[in-house]
Amino acid sequence: MKKFLVFLAFTYLSCINAQEKPKLVVGIVVDQMKMEYLYRFSNDFSENGFKRLMNKGFTFHNMHYNYMPTYTGPGHAAVYTGTTPSVNGIVGNTWFNKAIGKDMYCTDDADVITIGNGTESEGKMSPKNLLSTTITDELKLSTNFKGKVIGISLKDRGAILPAGHFADWAFWYSKTGSFISSTFYGTTLPDWVSKFNEEKNYEKYLNTKWELFKPKEVYNESLNDNNPYEGKMFKKTPFFPYNMKEMYENNDAGVLRSTPFGNNLLADFAMKAIEKENLGKDEITDFLTVSFSSTDYIGHLLGPRSIELQDAYLRLDQTIADFLAYLDKTVGKNNYLVFLTADHAGAENVTYLKDNKYDVSTINSRKFKNDLEAFSKEKYGENIVLDYSNSNIFFNKELIKINDLDLDEVKKTFKEFIYKQKFIRRVYTDDEILNASGSDMYLKFIANGYDPIQNGELVILEKPAFLEYGATGTTHGSPYTYDTHVPLLFYGWNITPGKSYDKKEITQIAPTLALKLKITLPNGTEAKVLEEILD
């Protein structure tokens, strides 16, 4: 009988513990990370970084973005709002907005100013363009604003959008070497941030060399150093070792972003934020969002098969291992919940594919725009194309009205012309997008990324592997799996180790977190969840 009562007590206490909330949630986004990197570089990872998250946490092997365009701003917004650009309003990084008739940036805010040692333009940022709430917003509301939310990144959009509308702070890296913010969050930087900046922590990385992290023979998963598919590294031939001091002296502290040391500095700053803001120190859940951006800069410049990119991931593996060890020590092993994903993946270099007999090519965006304008002048006597950007074509409706043209006929005529281009797979009108039935997979992706107030009258989809980019490096943005397939790892509080190969959508992360934390769902989400990690 006594043993039975002890068993009941233990079961009761276990149930209570299972219902407790984590002291700290850490959301990690690795910019331009393909799921494939966790496989390709696996043999060279330590046991304490990515492998710790995978082996002792839950791995979703088949996580995908469910909209186009797959860019950084929309990616961070989708992860944290649990919805797509069609709802949250972040339809690109920079885009032409037909409602205001000009280009805009995802976190632009002319009503705020820079705080900290940054340029005037670097700090005129806030989440005002984000139309829906984030999981971090809902955490603030659920705790009556007692739980702290802080977002950090090398990029402004990587810090601001995840932290949401109600964040205590968002901090991002300036080309001066300092972390800055805007008056949306406060009037002056916290003392600890000012001190971190005054210490010039970036200099310890800029006064060194970027050499291979491991012996050269380890890097057999990549192409040779300085291969023909790599671009220039600040006008220099990309070749190890890199003289960081020389790069800095010829440019500014922003060069740190394009090396793995940008991730190191961000991790230093993240740990300082945990310490000085007392994150995870009481029973009220706090949330820290961390976006590692250096992988994206390196990927764009040098491509997915470069030794530099592999080295960046081997170093990031160690950075994550150190960060997890820090969380163990300061917050406690069972007291924090970590998830790691990416804001998008990335394509193979087009020239590399072409050299290996895949009949694809790069797309000259300027030429395509000029061709559209030339066609317009030939057909209608003047240019009625207002803008072409982010795969959207905008028409000048005033000219169409003045010339007594039928807009539907104009769209039809342009579609016929565009389909003659070798690189085109689909062309959709705004009416087709808004009336998407779901039977066309690509139309559904475009509809999920389309806002009729901001986007164009036509949206194009290129064929697979055709990129609007140069001959070196790579980019992203399409609805194809090379851009949509990203990792998702959950680890820590209330996570049972396991794995899933079922296809999942990126917009399932935020509502899953909401149910796991037992708080209100973000207001724009469809509320589809990852049942595998829920009780």
Side-chain angles (χ1 to χ4, degrees), residues 115 168-169 171 181 188-196 277:
I115 58 172
D168 295 271
W169 285 101
F171 304 106
S181 191
T188 58
L189 292 176
D191 289 342
W192 68 267
V193 178
S194 296
K195 184 178 180 182
F196 187 92
E277 293 289 342

Side-chain angles (χ1 to χ4, degrees), residues 81-370:
T81 63
T83 190
T84 61
S86 62
V87 176
N88 66 44
I90 305 300
V91 297
N93 292 333
T94 301
W95 65 93
F96 181 83
N97 184 335
K98 69 183 178 187
I100 59 176
K102 62 181 182 180
D103 289 338
M104 65 178 289
Y105 179 64
C106 58
T107 52
D108 270 345
D109 188 347
D111 296 327
V112 300
I113 61 176
T114 304
I115 58 172
N117 182 27
T119 65
E120 180 182 356
S121 60
E122 285 179 309
K124 296 184 79 64
M125 305 289 166
S126 84
K128 69 177 291 186
N129 299 321
L130 184 64
L131 302 181
S132 49
T133 62
T134 59
I135 182 62
T136 47
D137 285 330
E138 298 301 340
L139 178 68
K140 293 292 289 186
L141 291 169
S142 72
T143 62
N144 291 322
F145 289 79
K146 294 176 183 176
K148 285 188 175 182
V149 170
I150 294 176
I152 65 171
S153 176
L154 298 181
K155 296 181 179 180
D156 48 59
R157 56 189 182 268
I160 292 169
L161 297 172
H165 303 85
F166 307 137
D168 295 271
W169 285 101
F171 304 106
W172 53 97
Y173 186 67
S174 165
K175 60 185 179 182
T176 64
S178 296
F179 281 93
I180 63 171
S181 191
S182 81
T183 50
F184 178 86
Y185 302 99
T187 55
T188 58
L189 292 176
D191 289 342
W192 68 267
V193 178
S194 296
K195 184 178 180 182
F196 187 92
N197 289 336
E198 288 166 5
E199 292 169 350
K200 296 185 177 181
N201 288 273
Y202 64 93
E203 287 189 344
K204 66 183 176 184
Y205 298 114
L206 291 174
N207 290 323
T208 186
K209 288 184 179 180
W210 176 13
E211 301 177 299
L212 289 176
F213 187 56
K214 295 193 175 185
K216 190 169 184 178
E217 57 269 20
V218 166
Y219 296 81
N220 57 355
E221 292 87 3
S222 301
L223 298 179
N224 292 332
D225 200 5
N226 189 25
N227 66 72
Y229 313 110
E230 298 178 342
K232 299 289 187 182
M233 179 69 85
F234 298 103
K235 300 181 181 180
K236 297 282 188 177
T237 300
F239 197 84
F240 281 104
Y242 291 89
N243 188 325
M244 295 293 298
K245 188 173 183 179
E246 181 181 292
M247 288 166 58
Y248 172 43
E249 290 173 347
N250 292 332
N251 298 276
D252 54 48
V255 299
L256 201 67
R257 297 186 181 105
S258 299
T259 75
F261 303 126
N263 291 335
N264 290 114
L265 182 66
L266 190 76
D268 295 341
F269 190 71
M271 289 185 281
K272 187 63 69 174
I274 292 170
E275 175 192 351
K276 295 300 183 180
E277 293 289 342
N278 293 312
L279 301 182
K281 293 299 184 183
D282 56 30
E283 299 306 311
I284 300 174
T285 302
D286 299 318
F287 206 125
L288 177 67
T289 75
V290 182
S291 179
F292 290 108
S293 308
S294 291
T295 44
D296 183 68
Y297 288 102
I298 296 168
H300 277 298
L301 281 171
L302 304 174
R305 298 285 167 179
S306 64
I307 285 181
E308 287 86 350
L309 190 74
Q310 181 172 357
D311 194 68
Y313 277 98
L314 299 189
R315 289 175 178 274
L316 181 58
D317 177 64
Q318 184 59 54
T319 299
I320 288 174
D322 294 342
F323 186 52
L324 292 174
Y326 179 83
L327 290 173
D328 291 342
K329 181 180 178 181
T330 58
V331 184
K333 285 188 177 181
N334 300 316
N335 294 326
Y336 65 87
L337 172 64
V338 170
F339 72 88
L340 183 149
T341 188
D343 54 348
H344 52 75
E348 292 285 355
N349 175 266
V350 177
T351 312
Y352 175 63
L353 296 178
K354 191 173 183 177
D355 286 349
N356 284 280
K357 301 182 181 180
Y358 188 178
D359 185 19
V360 294
S361 62
T362 58
I363 303 166
N364 187 324
S365 301
R366 182 174 296 179
K367 181 181 182 304
F368 180 54
K369 183 179 180 181
N370 291 339

Side-chain angles (χ1 to χ4, degrees), residues 27-38:
I28 299 175
V29 175
V30 182
D31 208 324
Q32 203 186 123
M33 184 176 185
K34 298 154 68 106
M35 181 66 197
E36 180 242 349
Y37 294 150
L38 289 179

Side-chain angles (χ1 to χ4, degrees), residues 404-460:
D404 198 27
L405 300 174
D406 181 82
L407 181 57
D408 289 335
E409 186 62 30
V410 167
K411 288 186 282 188
K412 179 182 177 183
T413 303
F414 269 86
K415 278 186 68 172
E416 292 173 353
F417 169 74
I418 294 168
Y419 268 121
K420 295 177 182 178
Q421 313 304 309
K422 178 184 178 181
F423 57 86
I424 292 293
R425 180 162 188 179
R426 297 280 195 278
V427 187
Y428 299 104
T429 68
D430 48 0
D431 293 326
E432 290 170 326
I433 294 168
L434 293 174
N435 292 289
S437 65
S439 58
D440 183 333
M441 178 179 73
Y442 297 116
L443 179 54
K444 184 178 180 182
F445 270 77
I446 289 171
N448 282 342
Y450 187 87
D451 179 355
I453 296 174
Q454 302 184 88
N455 285 106
E457 284 73 49
L458 295 177
V459 177
I460 69 168

Side-chain angles (χ1 to χ4, degrees), residues 96 98 101 369 383-388 394-397:
F96 181 83
K98 69 183 178 187
K369 183 179 180 181
N383 177 31
I384 60 173
V385 177
L386 184 61
D387 189 83
Y388 169 68
F394 300 80
F395 293 115
N396 189 324
K397 293 182 180 179

